[in-house]
Amino acid sequence: MDDQAIRLRKDRAAVNADDVKVDLIAFVVAVNDSEPCVLTIGQADTLPSGPFALEHRSLQSGLRGWVEQQTGHRLGYIEQLYTFADRDRIGAERQQRVISISYLALTRKEQAAGPPKCGWQSWYEYFPWEDHRSGTPPVVLDVLRPRLIEWANGVRDAATRRERWQRATIAFGFDDRLWNEELTLQRYELVYEAGLVQEAVRGRDGAPPPLVPSKSMVADHRRIVATGIARLRSKIKYRPVVFELMPTVFTLLQLQRTVEALAGRLIHKPNFRRLIEQQELVEETGEATTETGGRPAKLFRFRHAVLDDRLIAGTKLPLARG
């Protein structure tokens, strides 16, 4: 049993168990045809989840059980993402405090098939402003920029107006600022605060303002996805977790396209390959494939021995800034 599960049981023993509800929520990621996908249930608006029960051996075993039960998918690599325990997280029962413990899980394309009751959705359907592989998405300049200007100017206090617009310029790269792909959560929280997503206007009286075109999710599941994207975009730069998403053998171009899909921006190809070679992250299999449509491309596999090399902790992938 993990330490957090033990602490949770002690905490629940200190209060009436009915006063606290602990949910386990999974953000499961695969990359399918160069598209980063998230595993959903329901109307593609819900992450696999379920309550942590006293009979669960640990938090992770409880999560794995719920995901397999709801989707038929057995999880491999997982890590704890974040614990949401805000005071306004109230359960169906009055006075019930809800604690949500979210996890990031990575899986490979060949393992990503699921039964009809679940589905894989591109995470860019929920965050269309995050995909900069083909340049700045039109939604950023045509929709978000004018709406955020309107929101920033919607207060009388000049200092607040400046503070709001400064946050917008930093988050979205306005006014010649650089786009930072790791600020996914800050961007979502900003458009939420500005009332530009469906989750922000639920339960409000009157007609909602025009929203940014995007898929919504139940409760705060889209916030959890944003948290997971930000974590993964940061982590692929210094730990070789991307190989948890790759098939057993792959081309260097497939590896590059996978990293680009996750980062939402292009990578400098020569620098990327030079880095892969210098860090000895992969090794040749001695085979090649013609599935790329051009000359036969060499096939590689991940060198698992690199996990024992502490130098890998300093690796930075060369994301293109142009």
Side-chain angles (χ1 to χ4, degrees):
M1 182 181 299
D2 52 53
D3 292 341
Q4 187 168 11
I6 294 173
R7 288 196 299 270
L8 280 171
R9 293 191 178 189
K10 289 181 178 178
D11 290 343
R12 293 192 67 175
V15 298
N16 189 325
D18 294 333
D19 293 338
V20 178
K21 180 175 183 287
V22 179
D23 283 335
L24 307 175
I25 304 177
F27 171 49
V28 186
V29 177
V31 176
N32 298 331
D33 299 323
S34 298
E35 201 65 28
C37 295
V38 53
L39 182 62
T40 63
I41 57 176
Q43 302 300 313
D45 60 356
T46 306
L47 298 176
S49 61
F52 175 62
L54 294 178
E55 61 266 22
H56 287 147
R57 181 174 54 84
S58 68
L59 294 171
Q60 288 197 10
S61 67
L63 180 81
R64 292 178 186 276
W66 282 118
V67 172
E68 186 168 358
Q69 177 180 324
Q70 294 173 357
T71 70
H73 193 88
R74 299 189 67 179
L75 295 181
Y77 173 93
I78 67 172
E79 66 175 68
Q80 188 170 321
L81 184 59
Y82 196 77
T83 298
F84 299 87
D86 302 333
R87 291 182 62 86
D88 58 354
R89 296 177 65 82
I90 304 299
E93 300 294 333
R94 297 183 62 184
Q95 306 301 321
Q96 186 182 54
R97 184 72 173 270
V98 177
I99 298 174
S100 294
I101 304 174
S102 58
Y103 283 83
L104 168 65
L106 306 179
T107 190
R108 293 180 173 84
K109 179 179 178 180
E110 61 265 27
Q111 300 171 330
K117 59 184 176 181
C118 68
W120 292 92
Q121 308 294 324
S122 168
W123 72 33
Y124 293 125
E125 294 184 19
Y126 306 94
F127 304 92
W129 52 83
E130 291 291 334
D131 189 0
H132 286 238
R133 287 174 292 178
S134 299
T136 302
V139 69
V140 173
L141 298 179
D142 298 343
V143 180
L144 279 166
R145 181 181 172 88
R147 293 302 310 281
L148 288 171
I149 290 175
E150 180 183 353
W151 169 72
N153 293 331
V155 292
R156 292 184 178 181
D157 181 64
T160 302
R161 290 198 299 270
R162 287 193 299 270
E163 184 268 340
R164 283 185 171 187
W165 183 241
Q166 183 181 42
R167 289 167 56 201
T169 59
I170 293 172
F172 285 94
F174 298 146
D175 297 348
D176 296 325
R177 288 181 179 268
L178 292 177
W179 172 266
N180 185 341
E181 65 279 352
E182 295 180 26
L183 300 182
T184 308
L185 179 59
Q186 289 91 327
R187 284 187 284 272
Y188 175 70
E189 291 182 335
L190 191 64
V191 297
Y192 183 97
E193 183 180 342
L196 303 182
V197 289
Q198 183 65 44
E199 289 89 335
V201 298
R202 286 176 183 154
R204 291 186 183 179
D205 296 329
L211 304 177
V212 177
S214 60
K215 277 190 176 182
S216 62
M217 302 189 82
V218 302
D220 56 359
H221 283 203
R222 188 152 46 154
R223 182 186 178 198
I224 292 173
V225 173
T227 304
I229 294 173
R231 167 76 66 84
L232 191 52
R233 284 181 168 181
S234 172
K235 197 157 191 174
I236 60 174
K237 296 177 184 178
Y238 64 89
R239 295 297 297 173
V241 293
V242 66
F243 294 101
E244 298 288 345
L245 299 164
M246 299 300 298
T248 304
V249 296
F250 48 84
T251 67
L252 291 183
L253 181 61
Q254 289 173 327
L255 178 60
Q256 178 181 332
R257 292 288 183 258
T258 298
V259 175
E260 290 175 339
L262 299 172
R265 66 187 312 154
L266 298 181
I267 292 175
H268 190 268
K269 183 176 179 179
N271 287 352
F272 175 77
R273 298 201 173 196
R274 189 179 305 116
L275 173 68
I276 297 298
E277 293 173 358
Q278 290 175 348
Q279 296 293 332
E280 299 181 332
L281 297 175
V282 299
E283 59 188 6
E284 295 185 20
T285 65
E287 300 177 346
T289 179
T290 58
E291 293 181 2
T292 55
R295 294 184 302 173
K298 293 181 179 179
L299 289 172
F300 295 80
R301 57 175 166 254
F302 175 55
R303 287 185 62 250
H304 289 277
V306 81
L307 294 175
D308 298 326
D309 185 357
R310 295 183 179 181
L311 293 178
I312 190 63
T315 294
K316 284 286 186 180
L317 295 183
L319 294 178
R321 292 292 170 184

